[in-house]
Amino acid sequence: MLALAITGVHLAAVRISGGGDVLAWPGREQRIAAYTAAATVAAVVGSFVTAAVTLYAASTGQRMRTLRTHPVQGPQFRRNWMSILSATLVVSGLCLLAIILDTTQRDPGGAHWLAEVAIALGVARATRLVWLFGKVITGGDVDLEEVALTPSQPAPAEPPVPVRQPEV
């Protein structure tokens, strides 16, 4: 919704002022390059999401276990991860669709607005990813810190070294 609102406000500003349509300025080849770059960045962000989910799933400390099993926060956290992952797929898909639809030098059909929605969505979800990833790292670090502060078992005593006795 945020991406649509941002793009809608920008579209209204362009229509009212008659300027500021940044993606309409370059020619078709440069727009296609921008769409391709946005789709590529979204795919790379998707790989970061995978790494973050792996870190989340591998965390075994008390805080992360409590978060994952909490009846409200656990499902919300998982929904956030799935939302970010699915948004990266949507961003890539919209950019690829813009590549297909943008067939003329000036883009009278407005395919570049589709790409702008995708870019706005990508920025919003990447911001959430950074926040969520930070929470997972912080939770894992605090859990690790508590484990390090817990007194461990005393080190086992070393067995006595045999000493050779002189023969008498």
Side-chain angles (χ1 to χ4, degrees):
M1 297 310 281
L2 179 63
L4 290 173
I6 290 170
T7 305
V9 167
H10 183 225
L11 177 61
V14 167
R15 298 287 186 220
I16 292 168
S17 71
D21 191 359
V22 179
L23 284 177
W25 294 341
R28 181 180 181 277
E29 295 305 317
Q30 196 171 2
R31 284 193 313 271
I32 297 298
Y35 307 157
T36 303
T40 303
V41 168
V44 170
V45 169
S47 68
F48 288 132
V49 173
T50 304
V53 169
T54 301
L55 178 64
Y56 166 73
S59 296
T60 58
Q62 183 58 41
R63 277 183 177 68
M64 294 308 291
R65 193 171 23 261
T66 300
L67 173 65
R68 284 197 297 259
T69 58
H70 191 274
V72 175
Q73 291 178 348
Q76 287 177 349
F77 215 65
R78 285 186 289 282
R79 262 194 316 276
N80 270 306
W81 286 121
M82 292 308 297
S83 172
I84 293 168
L85 182 58
S86 59
T88 60
L89 297 172
V90 168
V91 169
S92 291
L94 289 175
C95 288
L96 295 174
L97 184 60
I99 290 170
I100 293 167
L101 296 176
D102 193 343
T103 59
T104 61
Q105 188 60 26
R106 298 293 355 137
D107 185 31
H112 68 281
W113 290 106
L114 188 63
E116 186 170 324
V117 168
I119 292 167
L121 176 61
V123 168
R125 291 304 179 194
T127 303
R128 175 163 291 176
L129 171 64
V130 169
W131 175 80
L132 214 54
F133 200 34
K135 292 294 184 187
V136 169
I137 290 171
T138 301
D141 287 350
V142 171
D143 280 342
L144 184 61
E145 187 177 280
E146 287 178 355
V147 169
L149 294 176
T150 304
S152 59
Q153 299 292 332
E158 293 189 24
V161 177
V163 178
R164 187 171 182 190
Q165 298 291 331
E167 291 183 36
V168 191

